């Protein structure tokens, strides 16, 4: 019986991939990749010859039926994103929902993620946390930050380098200058670093040092 595999890929260091993930990527009939150019670098590194097909937020609706047809025609398919887990702030949900609806077998492999390293490096409580991914760019953004300001759990966000300063200013305005946060960037890469402190201290840091790379922001929750 055919199967869909959700395969997490390294978020930086190419060694951060499981042996099983390598095996699955080598054995499936097709790899659905968010950006085939990025995925092919990973496949070349591990000498994997499996063919790839673009699957991203701009074509996932259009390709859905085609992929389901391939799966029901005894093709094993792996879904990967550029880095980390498919479906987590990346394409995949629509396909997984349809696979479940059609009764097609699928499996999500464990693997690399930026969320847990950033959380554990923050120094904030890890028993309970909330992951929000990327906040809305405009509509609903302020409301969401206001909700997070009342959270007792550690909140985890993704942010791009060109919006990081804006986010920190918004947190400062809504949560106060003394709100404790932790900002991790380029996890597992050469220039990996984590900046911890009040939002005001972190803001001053990145006003002096231009934000570069991919960011994971952890916000300490209120004491319950």
């Amino acid at each position: 019986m055919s199967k869909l595999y959700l395969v997490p890929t390294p978020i930086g260091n190419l060694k951060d991939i499981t042996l099983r993930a390598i095996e699955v990527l080598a054995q499936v009939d097709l790899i659905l990749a968010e950006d085939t150019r990025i995925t092919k670098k990973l496949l070349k590194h591990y000498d994997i010859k499996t063919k790839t097909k673009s699957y991203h937020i701009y074509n996932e609706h259009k390709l859905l039926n085609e992929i389901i047809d391939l799966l029901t025609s005894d093709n094993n398919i792996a879904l990967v994103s550029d880095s980390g887990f498919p479906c987590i702030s990346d394409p995949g949900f629509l396909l997984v929902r349809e696979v479940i609806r059609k009764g097609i077998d699928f499996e999500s492999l464990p693997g690399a993620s930026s969320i847990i390293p950033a959380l554990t490096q923050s120094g904030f409580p890890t028993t309970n946390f909330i992951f929000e991914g990327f906040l809305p760019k405009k509509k609903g953004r302020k409301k969401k930050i206001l909700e997070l300001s009342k959270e007792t759990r550690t909140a985890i966000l993704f942010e791009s380098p060109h919006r990081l300063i804006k986010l920190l200013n918004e947190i400062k305005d809504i949560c106060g200058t003394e709100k404790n946060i932790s900002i991790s960037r380029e996890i597992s890469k050469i220039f990996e670093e984590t900046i911890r402190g009040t939002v005001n201290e972190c803001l001053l840091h990145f006003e002096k040092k231009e934000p570069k790379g991919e960011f994971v922001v952890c916000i300490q929750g209120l004491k319950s």
Side-chain angles (χ1 to χ4, degrees), residues 85-218:
F85 266 85
C87 301
I88 307 299
S89 293
D90 279 321
F93 163 71
L94 287 175
L95 180 56
V96 168
R97 183 177 64 181
E98 190 65 11
V99 161
I100 292 172
R101 194 176 76 84
K102 296 285 188 179
I104 298 169
D105 196 16
F106 85 101
E107 186 173 355
S108 182
L109 276 60
S113 169
S114 62
I115 300 169
I116 300 305
L119 173 64
T120 54
Q121 290 174 168
S122 71
F124 300 153
T126 57
T127 305
N128 292 296
F129 62 91
I130 179 172
F131 172 65
E132 289 289 342
F134 288 97
L135 293 180
K137 292 180 181 179
K138 294 182 180 179
K139 188 177 180 180
R141 185 179 178 90
K142 184 176 180 180
K143 180 182 177 182
K144 178 56 69 174
I145 296 174
L146 185 60
E147 290 175 0
L148 294 178
S149 72
K150 302 173 184 178
E151 264 292 346
T152 57
R153 298 169 291 181
T154 301
I156 305 173
L157 310 174
F158 287 159
E159 193 51 278
S160 61
H162 65 276
R163 282 201 302 269
L164 181 67
I165 296 294
K166 177 184 177 183
L167 173 65
L168 296 181
N169 275 309
E170 290 169 328
I171 294 173
K172 182 180 76 170
D173 292 343
I174 296 173
C175 303
T177 59
E178 298 304 305
K179 187 67 170 178
N180 288 317
I181 63 173
S182 173
I183 304 173
S184 295
R185 76 178 191 96
E186 298 293 88
I187 294 173
S188 85
K189 300 179 183 178
I190 295 174
F191 299 107
E192 176 180 357
E193 67 175 347
T194 295
I195 306 299
R196 306 174 190 85
T198 66
V199 64
N200 210 41
E201 290 169 340
C202 293
L203 185 56
L204 288 172
H205 173 85
F206 286 107
E207 284 176 342
K208 294 177 182 178
K209 183 179 181 180
E210 181 185 359
K212 293 181 179 180
E214 300 300 322
F215 290 86
V216 185
V217 179
C218 296

Side-chain angles (χ1 to χ4, degrees), residues 7 14 17-27 46 48 109:
V7 182
L14 292 182
I17 188 169
T18 66
L19 294 175
R20 185 158 166 247
I22 295 171
E23 182 180 83
V24 167
L25 292 176
Q27 292 180 353
Y46 287 103
I48 296 172
L109 276 60

Side-chain angles (χ1 to χ4, degrees), residues 26 43 47-51:
L43 300 182
D47 195 29
I48 296 172
K49 310 296 185 183
T50 309
K51 64 180 179 179

